[in-house]
Amino acid sequence: MAHHLNSSVSELPGIGGKAVKDLKNMGIFSVYDLLFYVPFRYDDFSNIKPIAEVKVGETVTVIGSIVSIDSRQAKGRRMTIVDAVIEDETGSLPIIWFNQKYLTETLRPGMKLSFSGRIDFRFGKALMNPVFEPEGKRVHTGRIVPVYGLSGSLTMKRLRTAINSALSATNELVDWVPESIRRKADYTDLSQAIRNVHFPENQKDLTKAIERLKFDELFLHQLLFARSRQDRQKRRSHVIPIDEKVLKTFVAQLPFELTSAQRKTAWEIVQDLAKQNPMNRLLQGDVGSGKTVVAAMAANSVLSNGLAVVYLAPTEILAAQQRAVFNMFLSPHSVALFTRSQKRIGDEDVNKDELLQKLKNSDIRCVVGTHALLEEMVEIPNLAFVIVDEQHRFGVAQRHALLENGREISAHLLSMTATPIPRSLALTVCGDLDISVISQLPKGRKPIGTAIVSANHRAGMWQHVKDQIAKGQQVYVVCPLIDPSDKQGAKSVTDVSEQLKKGPLKEFKVGVLHGRLKSDEKQEAIQKFKDGKTDVLVSTTVVEVGVDVPNATVMVIFGAERFGLAQLHQLRGRVGRSDLVSYCYLLSDDASETALERLRTLEKTQNGFELAEKDLELRGAGNIFGNAQSGFPDFQFATPADVEIMKTAFDWTTKVLNEDPELEKYPLIREKIRSTFEAAHLE
Ligand code: ADP
Ligand code: MG
């Protein structure tokens, strides 16, 4: 039966009430949705062999008739084993299935089927837990087979069958990428790409399909950037005239002298603020380069003009910290804190309604907060300036809601990041941004003494840590995990803090911090450390981003080999934030040469950009943007490694828009952009 893109999934074979619900939970309603639900990996069952030729360890497909099938209870274990034997003209082969007793009822001797799986030897040479289907069907066996994420009681076979059947609707897919581009760049058309991403005939077709779908994402992304750039030039913003007196007064009250890089970037920002079109600028600067004060200087200009400022932080810990810093720098303007669990004005906790009211009345014009600010639809009149710390954590649509929602005049946007973005990726990560770089650290910063500490030097290291604490300085200890677990012996916060309290650091006060603590417990742990009430903070990587305690001078990292260089550099950046000499100790359980070589780079360089380049070299592009540090958008296919396709997408975007800025000749592209924006706004 031929299916249609906008039909409900319920018309697909095997998709009844329960499966419909499961799919709905996965955000899949229509045949179209299902076609774009792509495999997360593939099993290559294309190796079809006569039984006599199969070898132990191989993944194969064999076609044979069932000779016998029976089940038994495994000795001592609560497990049912189904034993079968199949044969073809060349020989016979045992099959073993675990816990699938029902098979003795569905499979009968004499049935001829196609089986795919791995040949195992633990129970004698046998095909282990194979999937099977009637010979010649080629949905689950005998080919490269897609493997999908599942939900609820949905089974792989059921989902795969449904998607296979849904492929008949691919003919209705309209390819929004112009044929001229497809031809020149040699891209498969969209229907073909979708068919091949699910059920490719061979690796080459699969690779080509994925390449095409990557291009789709990157091309659309570039077009959206370009549109937003065009759009920005049409929008108006609050004009904040440069007032040298305000700037000078601000600088004069600082407890330190600005670096020339800070001056330069602050100047770029206040110049943008004085323009009639909204700013969209990225402030990039290595850890500890002093981005906060630059942002505060700009915020001060805005507040002095009677307008409002919002600062978005990625975590509650950071929001509270940055609010305190802002409150100090921006005095006498009052800066409020707004997170899910905390609302604060001055030194007082307040309730949500009170704070919302004060913001609405412009009694308070500067607020620092988390995502909660976006979710609550906080009303802030005359919002002129939005600062986003570690920009990537807020999606395009969310930013749009904050900057433009219902406003006649758009807010200026400043994003800040410590992630060094290699030039090759800058196009994709910050296509529509202007960039300012703080290229130097504040004066007096000493390089952070970094050392890999082998097992027999640990006692000496702890002695050194004790000496530092005795001098009144503080120490971070970072562990890969929260709780003890059997995961390859990785060190946990719980383990390590207990050990330290009993052993090396028993005369000192040890605090713990990790993501599973309640929000006020986290806050308390940070505050105690800031106030010097604890000497040592044992933590997960939650301290990775932005936490600023200048009196902390030692960073000890357990399981250092588990982290990327960029991440280790971020962690190390928690110390060396004053003119005190600081240290970073890397403890590794992996003495392999590759692990050590990577860690040695940290011993050798203090420069985030160099480290990012090195990571690129050692681990490939996909890895620099590990986890939360990622500035890379959420694509299904494209990764930061796809530099070539990125460039192609960029070139085509430029070409198309230069020739036809309003996309009059490309209604399908226009429609694609429109529907993407619409979908983003509905989210
Ligand atoms: P980051 O760029 O990593 O966000 P911060 O803004 O948190 O860095 O600044 C790091 C530390 O350096 C803070 O304690 C801050 O007060 C201090 N700092 C910033 N600028 C200077 C400067 N020009 N001279 C001395 N210290 C500075
Ligand atoms: Mg910061």
Side-chain angles (χ1 to χ4, degrees):
M1 177 179 159
H3 298 288
H4 298 289
L5 290 174
N6 51 15
S7 302
S8 156
V9 286
S10 63
E11 73 168 45
L12 295 169
I15 304 297
K18 216 166 169 196
V20 169
K21 261 210 198 108
D22 288 334
L23 287 171
K24 197 163 117 191
N25 288 335
M26 295 152 78
I28 298 167
F29 302 87
S30 64
V31 167
Y32 180 93
D33 298 337
L34 195 59
L35 287 175
F36 282 85
Y37 187 69
V38 296
F40 69 90
R41 68 175 176 86
Y42 300 83
D43 282 328
D44 191 346
F45 293 146
S46 54
N47 183 16
I48 305 175
K49 280 197 158 176
I51 285 174
E53 287 175 26
V54 302
K55 293 191 204 71
V56 166
E58 285 192 297
T59 298
V60 289
T61 297
V62 289
I63 294 159
S65 305
I66 297 178
V67 179
S68 65
I69 179 159
D70 217 338
S71 72
R72 62 188 157 101
Q73 206 65 25
K75 274 195 214 101
R77 294 194 230 168
R78 286 219 302 270
M79 197 196 291
T80 317
I81 295 179
V82 174
D83 288 303
V85 174
I86 59 165
E87 63 175 13
D88 65 6
E89 306 77 58
T90 68
S92 66
L93 180 69
I95 295 183
I96 298 175
W97 282 285
F98 293 113
N99 288 332
Q100 299 187 50
K101 191 167 190 307
Y102 66 93
L103 291 178
T104 53
E105 273 139 51
T106 45
L107 299 181
R108 303 243 168 276
M111 286 172 124
K112 192 172 181 196
L113 298 164
S114 170
F115 301 85
S116 292
R118 195 164 172 279
I119 308 289
D120 197 278
F121 66 93
R122 277 168 296 170
F123 305 87
K125 183 174 170 182
L127 187 54
M128 197 63 82
N129 281 319
V131 277
F132 58 87
E133 65 188 332
E135 188 196 352
K137 239 183 116 196
R138 298 189 72 239
V139 176
H140 310 288
T141 70
R143 63 177 310 137
I144 298 174
V145 169
V147 182
Y148 302 95
L150 296 173
S151 155
S153 56
L154 198 60
T155 63
M156 189 62 71
K157 259 185 143 169
R158 192 178 288 260
L159 180 59
R160 203 183 277 140
T161 304
I163 292 180
N164 188 263
S165 171
L167 291 185
S168 63
T170 52
N171 292 325
E172 293 179 2
L173 284 170
V174 178
D175 199 336
W176 68 283
V177 173
E179 213 213 313
S180 53
I181 297 184
R182 272 184 274 140
R183 206 158 2 94
K184 286 224 183 72
D186 191 25
Y187 289 132
T188 331
D189 69 70
L190 186 60
S191 337
Q192 185 77 41
I194 289 293
R195 284 194 293 273
N196 285 351
V197 84
H198 291 288
F199 290 91
E201 279 306 323
N202 50 51
Q203 281 298 337
K204 186 167 158 268
D205 286 355
L206 177 58
T207 308
K208 283 215 65 111
I210 289 175
E211 185 188 24
R212 160 65 211 254
L213 296 170
K214 284 176 172 180
F215 176 78
D216 269 41
E217 290 175 339
L218 293 165
F219 186 42
L220 179 61
H221 196 66
Q222 287 303 332
L223 287 162
L224 293 177
F225 271 155
R227 235 255 338 217
S228 107
R229 217 178 301 136
Q230 283 175 345
D231 215 53
R232 193 146 54 88
Q233 263 131 42
K234 288 183 205 147
R235 276 185 283 122
R236 288 199 310 118
S237 56
H238 292 276
V239 174
I240 295 128
I242 297 177
D243 184 334
E244 301 225 4
K245 196 161 153 254
V246 169
L247 296 174
K248 282 198 175 125
T249 317
F250 180 85
V251 173
Q253 51 98 37
L254 292 174
F256 43 70
E257 198 169 320
L258 290 176
T259 62
S260 55
Q262 283 172 318
R263 277 174 209 280
K264 181 167 158 278
T265 49
W267 184 244
E268 286 166 352
I269 295 165
V270 294
Q271 276 182 307
D272 277 1
L273 291 174
K275 291 183 187 152
Q276 299 192 1
N277 307 115
M279 158 169 81
N280 188 12
R281 186 170 284 279
L282 178 70
L283 178 60
Q284 221 183 314
D286 210 341
V287 243
S289 60
K291 295 182 285 295
T292 312
V293 67
V294 172
M297 188 161 164
N300 184 58
S301 297
V302 175
L303 293 173
S304 301
N305 261 268
L307 301 167
V309 177
V310 163
Y311 184 122
L312 289 172
T315 65
E316 297 213 348
I317 294 176
L318 273 193
Q321 172 190 291
Q322 297 299 72
R323 169 348 260 206
V325 173
F326 259 47
N327 209 31
M328 181 182 72
F329 282 150
L330 296 177
S331 146
H333 304 290
S334 171
V335 180
L337 174 66
F338 191 112
T339 68
R340 191 178 306 281
S341 62
Q342 234 194 335
K343 323 278 182 285
R344 210 157 226 269
I345 302 173
D347 295 331
E348 310 278 311
D349 283 324
V350 295
N351 69 38
K352 185 166 95 186
D353 293 335
E354 186 180 341
L355 180 48
L356 288 177
Q357 195 58 42
K358 289 215 150 114
L359 288 167
K360 197 172 162 187
N361 296 343
S362 299
D363 290 341
I364 292 197
R365 287 181 289 112
C366 187
V367 56
V368 177
T370 53
H371 259 103
L373 266 174
L374 303 179
E375 285 150 21
E376 298 281 351
M377 304 291 281
V378 179
E379 199 184 321
I380 304 172
N382 293 316
L383 177 60
F385 184 32
V386 174
I387 303 159
V388 182
D389 202 350
E390 296 303 331
Q391 45 134 15
H392 48 269
R393 303 196 184 188
F394 298 94
V396 173
Q398 285 173 318
R399 254 186 279 168
H400 191 86
L402 186 71
L403 299 176
E404 272 133 58
N405 222 5
R407 268 180 249 284
E408 231 170 276
I409 306 185
S410 304
H412 294 286
L413 175 64
L414 179 69
S415 315
M416 303 200 284
T417 180
T419 310
I421 300 168
R423 207 167 285 282
S424 54
L425 302 185
L427 274 186
T428 296
V429 181
C430 25
D432 67 337
L433 300 174
D434 297 313
I435 299 183
S436 291
V437 182
I438 307 185
S439 52
Q440 71 191 131
L441 295 179
K443 259 212 309 273
R445 292 286 164 75
K446 305 189 174 61
I448 301 160
T450 304
I452 303 166
V453 183
S454 59
N456 50 351
H457 286 104
R458 293 207 180 158
M461 178 197 80
W462 289 119
Q463 186 55 50
H464 180 250
V465 170
K466 278 159 77 169
D467 295 345
Q468 295 300 111
I469 305 176
K471 281 198 273 174
Q473 295 167 23
Q474 290 166 283
V475 178
Y476 292 102
V477 177
V478 170
C479 309
L481 302 173
I482 299 176
D483 290 324
S485 87
D486 52 2
K487 277 199 200 110
Q488 301 123 39
K491 290 285 189 291
S492 74
V493 169
T494 318
D495 273 341
V496 167
S497 60
E498 286 315 310
Q499 278 166 20
L500 294 180
K501 279 188 220 164
K502 277 189 226 131
L505 302 178
K506 63 170 173 287
E507 58 263 51
F508 302 112
K509 282 172 248 107
V510 178
V512 299
L513 174 66
H514 55 72
R516 228 180 287 147
L517 293 177
K518 290 209 204 74
S519 175
D520 51 340
E521 294 170 331
K522 278 190 227 168
Q523 219 45 262
E524 193 185 324
I526 284 275
Q527 199 55 46
K528 278 189 162 166
F529 191 61
K530 274 199 166 142
D531 296 344
K533 290 187 185 133
T534 44
D535 305 300
V536 181
L537 188 61
V538 184
S539 165
T540 53
T541 52
V542 289
V543 296
E544 176 186 340
V545 188
V547 173
D548 187 35
V549 181
N551 191 50
T553 57
V554 184
M555 165 64 66
V556 179
I557 303 173
F558 280 90
E561 77 281 359
R562 286 161 195 272
F563 303 109
L565 289 181
Q567 199 178 8
L568 289 167
H569 180 63
Q570 286 287 329
L571 286 168
R572 175 169 66 177
R574 296 313 108 216
V575 298
R577 305 194 137 240
S578 67
D579 50 11
L580 298 167
V581 178
S582 292
Y583 304 90
C584 175
Y585 294 123
L586 305 170
L587 278 47
S588 167
D589 307 317
D590 177 358
S592 78
E593 196 42 43
T594 20
L596 288 177
E597 190 200 333
R598 230 161 47 77
L599 296 179
R600 273 187 216 119
T601 344
L602 275 153
E603 288 185 320
K604 278 182 253 159
T605 176
Q606 305 274 330
N607 180 312
F609 275 86
E610 260 173 55
L611 286 167
E613 296 287 327
K614 191 72 185 173
D615 241 359
L616 198 69
E617 196 181 299
L618 291 174
R619 308 208 301 171
N623 282 306
I624 356 172
F625 288 91
N627 66 27
Q629 282 303 307
S630 167
F632 206 73
D634 278 336
F635 292 141
Q636 276 202 83
F637 299 100
T639 73
D642 295 313
V643 176
E644 277 309 308
I645 307 178
M646 240 175 253
K647 204 170 161 321
T648 314
F650 177 78
D651 291 345
W652 280 112
T653 304
T654 316
K655 192 164 172 337
V656 165
L657 287 176
N658 278 348
E659 280 168 16
D660 183 6
E662 297 303 321
L663 296 170
E664 274 156 16
K665 280 183 281 176
Y666 301 101
L668 292 177
I669 296 186
R670 241 179 23 225
E671 172 54 24
K672 181 78 179 176
I673 293 175
R674 195 197 58 75
S675 62
T676 307
F677 260 90
E678 192 177 275
H681 289 195
L682 290 177
E683 262 168 19

